């Protein structure tokens, strides 16, 4: 293995944004280990690599299929009205995350059930539950603006680099905490679905 230092992550802003500088950077002094692997495709024919790697058209087809499936889920009225229907369980779970709370025991069971039995819905939450998708997009935009504003406020001020990193880290975490917690709950449900389903969900 060899180590590589990740120096910066660039955020672009649109013309006329609040920050006058059109390009801002968020720096993370984090060191990661990178594992080198052999490039197996270097000895393969183009026709072979086309078969093992997704092509752009393949990705467009997958996205179209995902949206078609999401629209079909949205049209299932029963799931929208039943207290423990798919959308209601996910919406309540996400709402609990926004208030930094754990989902209720019943919602946790419902979440595990939907991920286990309705696995074709996994990964489609931003489309099949539009309220969650829209809110997470808004939070993401708020996070980016928050980071850029924090950078602008520290510009030209003698602030210790560690303190700058701490401020940016806290700003990012404040806006992304709910999504991170929601993803963790879904990951827990994924682990349950992949197991022998004998895990205690209480």
């Amino acid at each position: 293995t060899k180590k590589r230092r990740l120096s910066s992550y660039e955020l672009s802003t649109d013309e006329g944004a609040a920050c006058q500088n059109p390009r801002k950077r968020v720096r993370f002094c984090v060191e990661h280990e990178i594992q080198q692997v052999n490039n197996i495709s270097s000895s393969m024919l183009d026709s072979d690599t086309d078969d093992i790697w997704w092509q752009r058209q393949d990705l467009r087809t997958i996205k179209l299929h995902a949206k078609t499936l999401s629209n079909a889920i949205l049209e299932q009225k029963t799931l929208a009205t039943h207290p423990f229907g798919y959308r209601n369980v996910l919406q309540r779970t996400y709402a609990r995350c926004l208030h930094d709370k754990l989902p209720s025991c019943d919602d946790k069971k419902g979440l595990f059930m939907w991920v286990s039995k309705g696995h074709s819905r996994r990964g489609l939450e931003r489309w099949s539950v539009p309220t969650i998708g829209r809110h997470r997009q808004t939070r993401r935009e708020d996070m980016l603006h928050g980071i850029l504003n924090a950078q602008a406020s520290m510009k030209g001020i003698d602030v210790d680099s560690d303190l700058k990193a701490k401020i940016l880290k806290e700003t990012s975490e404040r806006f992304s905490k709910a999504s991170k917690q929601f993803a963790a709950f879904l990951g827990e449900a994924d682990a349950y679905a992949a197991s022998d389903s004998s895990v205690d969900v209480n």
Side-chain angles (χ1 to χ4, degrees):
T1 62
K2 68 176 183 178
K3 293 185 177 180
R4 176 171 67 89
R5 182 171 292 279
L6 304 181
S7 59
S8 65
Y9 174 73
E10 293 188 353
L11 299 175
S12 298
T13 59
D14 294 332
E15 185 177 356
C19 298
Q20 295 180 358
N21 191 338
R23 299 192 71 82
K24 293 290 184 178
R25 289 185 178 182
V26 181
R27 298 183 182 276
F28 298 94
C29 296
V30 181
E31 202 170 72
H32 290 280
E33 287 192 357
I34 306 298
Q35 179 68 48
Q36 289 184 318
V37 296
N38 293 328
N39 184 4
I40 60 172
S41 62
S42 61
S43 59
M44 299 177 65
L45 299 174
D46 290 342
S47 58
D48 294 329
T49 57
D50 287 345
D51 289 336
I52 64 172
W53 300 114
W54 294 115
Q55 307 300 311
R56 290 186 182 276
Q57 182 57 46
D58 296 330
L59 297 177
R60 283 193 288 267
T61 300
I62 291 171
K63 186 174 183 179
L64 178 62
H65 175 71
K67 288 191 172 182
T68 301
L69 181 56
S70 298
N71 290 333
I73 295 171
L74 286 172
E75 292 173 359
Q76 295 179 334
K77 303 300 182 182
T78 303
L79 296 182
T81 57
H82 194 282
F84 290 97
Y86 170 73
R87 266 176 283 169
N88 288 329
V89 169
L90 263 67
Q91 287 174 334
R92 284 197 301 269
T93 300
Y94 183 71
R96 300 278 290 185
C97 293
L98 291 175
H99 294 89
D100 197 19
K101 295 180 180 180
L102 295 174
S104 68
C105 183
D106 286 339
D107 281 340
K108 186 176 180 180
K109 288 180 179 179
L111 184 65
F112 280 31
M113 184 275 291
W114 277 113
V115 172
S116 299
K117 308 302 181 184
H119 51 81
S120 60
R121 295 173 171 82
R122 270 302 276 120
L124 305 178
E125 291 81 18
R126 67 170 176 165
W127 293 316
S128 58
V129 190
T131 53
I132 293 179
R134 288 193 296 267
H135 192 273
R136 293 183 73 175
Q137 179 62 28
T138 299
R139 297 277 290 190
R140 182 178 183 275
E141 292 171 358
D142 289 343
M143 180 188 68
L144 295 178
H145 286 300
I147 291 174
L148 293 175
N149 290 336
Q151 288 178 318
S153 67
M154 292 184 288
K155 186 176 181 180
I157 302 176
D158 185 16
V159 181
D160 180 76
S161 59
D162 290 338
L163 178 58
K164 286 183 179 180
K166 183 175 183 292
I167 292 173
L168 296 177
K169 177 176 179 290
E170 290 175 350
T171 301
S172 173
E173 289 178 342
R174 183 169 70 253
F175 290 105
S176 61
K177 185 175 182 179
S179 291
K180 182 178 179 180
Q181 191 171 358
F182 184 64
F185 289 144
L186 288 175
E188 187 179 351
D190 287 334
Y192 171 78
S195 71
D196 60 1
S197 300
S198 63
V199 180
D200 183 8
V201 300
N202 295 309

PDB file of all heavy atoms in Angstrom, residues 13-22:
ATOM      1  N   THR A  13     -19.152  27.997  -7.035  1.00  0.00           N
ATOM      2  CA  THR A  13     -20.356  28.779  -6.806  1.00  0.00           C
ATOM      3  C   THR A  13     -20.788  29.408  -8.106  1.00  0.00           C
ATOM      4  O   THR A  13     -19.980  29.687  -8.980  1.00  0.00           O
ATOM      5  CB  THR A  13     -20.097  29.889  -5.772  1.00  0.00           C
ATOM      6  OG1 THR A  13     -19.046  30.733  -6.261  1.00  0.00           O
ATOM      7  CG2 THR A  13     -19.684  29.305  -4.443  1.00  0.00           C
ATOM      8  N   ASP A  14     -22.087  29.649  -8.231  1.00  0.00           N
ATOM      9  CA  ASP A  14     -22.612  30.268  -9.433  1.00  0.00           C
ATOM     10  C   ASP A  14     -22.291  31.750  -9.443  1.00  0.00           C
ATOM     11  O   ASP A  14     -22.076  32.368  -8.402  1.00  0.00           O
ATOM     12  CB  ASP A  14     -24.134  30.079  -9.506  1.00  0.00           C
ATOM     13  CG  ASP A  14     -24.501  28.623  -9.677  1.00  0.00           C
ATOM     14  OD1 ASP A  14     -23.690  27.861 -10.246  1.00  0.00           O
ATOM     15  OD2 ASP A  14     -25.586  28.264  -9.217  1.00  0.00           O
ATOM     16  N   GLU A  15     -22.294  32.333 -10.641  1.00  0.00           N
ATOM     17  CA  GLU A  15     -22.046  33.760 -10.774  1.00  0.00           C
ATOM     18  C   GLU A  15     -23.144  34.517 -10.041  1.00  0.00           C
ATOM     19  O   GLU A  15     -24.320  34.218 -10.144  1.00  0.00           O
ATOM     20  CB  GLU A  15     -22.054  34.145 -12.254  1.00  0.00           C
ATOM     21  CG  GLU A  15     -21.672  35.603 -12.500  1.00  0.00           C
ATOM     22  CD  GLU A  15     -21.621  35.921 -13.983  1.00  0.00           C
ATOM     23  OE1 GLU A  15     -21.811  34.995 -14.780  1.00  0.00           O
ATOM     24  OE2 GLU A  15     -21.404  37.092 -14.307  1.00  0.00           O
ATOM     25  N   GLY A  16     -22.755  35.521  -9.273  1.00  0.00           N
ATOM     26  CA  GLY A  16     -23.723  36.321  -8.535  1.00  0.00           C
ATOM     27  C   GLY A  16     -24.041  35.751  -7.173  1.00  0.00           C
ATOM     28  O   GLY A  16     -24.930  36.230  -6.478  1.00  0.00           O
ATOM     29  N   ALA A  17     -23.334  34.703  -6.758  1.00  0.00           N
ATOM     30  CA  ALA A  17     -23.563  34.119  -5.438  1.00  0.00           C
ATOM     31  C   ALA A  17     -23.072  35.075  -4.371  1.00  0.00           C
ATOM     32  O   ALA A  17     -22.389  36.060  -4.635  1.00  0.00           O
ATOM     33  CB  ALA A  17     -22.850  32.770  -5.326  1.00  0.00           C
ATOM     34  N   ALA A  18     -23.404  34.735  -3.117  1.00  0.00           N
ATOM     35  CA  ALA A  18     -23.079  35.638  -2.018  1.00  0.00           C
ATOM     36  C   ALA A  18     -21.585  35.844  -1.887  1.00  0.00           C
ATOM     37  O   ALA A  18     -21.123  36.928  -1.561  1.00  0.00           O
ATOM     38  CB  ALA A  18     -23.659  35.085  -0.716  1.00  0.00           C
ATOM     39  N   CYS A  19     -20.803  34.808  -2.149  1.00  0.00           N
ATOM     40  CA  CYS A  19     -19.350  34.922  -2.038  1.00  0.00           C
ATOM     41  C   CYS A  19     -18.796  35.455  -3.357  1.00  0.00           C
ATOM     42  O   CYS A  19     -19.090  34.922  -4.413  1.00  0.00           O
ATOM     43  CB  CYS A  19     -18.724  33.559  -1.723  1.00  0.00           C
ATOM     44  SG  CYS A  19     -19.284  32.893  -0.167  1.00  0.00           S
ATOM     45  N   GLN A  20     -17.983  36.483  -3.292  1.00  0.00           N
ATOM     46  CA  GLN A  20     -17.476  37.109  -4.499  1.00  0.00           C
ATOM     47  C   GLN A  20     -16.466  36.233  -5.204  1.00  0.00           C
ATOM     48  O   GLN A  20     -16.390  36.222  -6.427  1.00  0.00           O
ATOM     49  CB  GLN A  20     -16.854  38.462  -4.144  1.00  0.00           C
ATOM     50  CG  GLN A  20     -17.879  39.473  -3.621  1.00  0.00           C
ATOM     51  CD  GLN A  20     -17.236  40.787  -3.271  1.00  0.00           C
ATOM     52  OE1 GLN A  20     -16.014  40.928  -3.384  1.00  0.00           O
ATOM     53  NE2 GLN A  20     -18.034  41.754  -2.862  1.00  0.00           N
ATOM     54  N   ASN A  21     -15.648  35.502  -4.459  1.00  0.00           N
ATOM     55  CA  ASN A  21     -14.669  34.621  -5.066  1.00  0.00           C
ATOM     56  C   ASN A  21     -15.399  33.444  -5.707  1.00  0.00           C
ATOM     57  O   ASN A  21     -16.106  32.714  -5.031  1.00  0.00           O
ATOM     58  CB  ASN A  21     -13.696  34.112  -3.995  1.00  0.00           C
ATOM     59  CG  ASN A  21     -12.506  33.401  -4.611  1.00  0.00           C
ATOM     60  OD1 ASN A  21     -12.581  32.932  -5.741  1.00  0.00           O
ATOM     61  ND2 ASN A  21     -11.435  33.327  -3.872  1.00  0.00           N
ATOM     62  N   PRO A  22     -15.250  33.219  -7.023  1.00  0.00           N
ATOM     63  CA  PRO A  22     -16.031  32.179  -7.691  1.00  0.00           C
ATOM     64  C   PRO A  22     -15.627  30.760  -7.311  1.00  0.00           C
ATOM     65  O   PRO A  22     -16.332  29.829  -7.598  1.00  0.00           O
ATOM     66  CB  PRO A  22     -15.771  32.443  -9.177  1.00  0.00           C
ATOM     67  CG  PRO A  22     -14.442  33.123  -9.202  1.00  0.00           C
ATOM     68  CD  PRO A  22     -14.394  33.953  -7.947  1.00  0.00           C
TER      69      PRO A  22
END
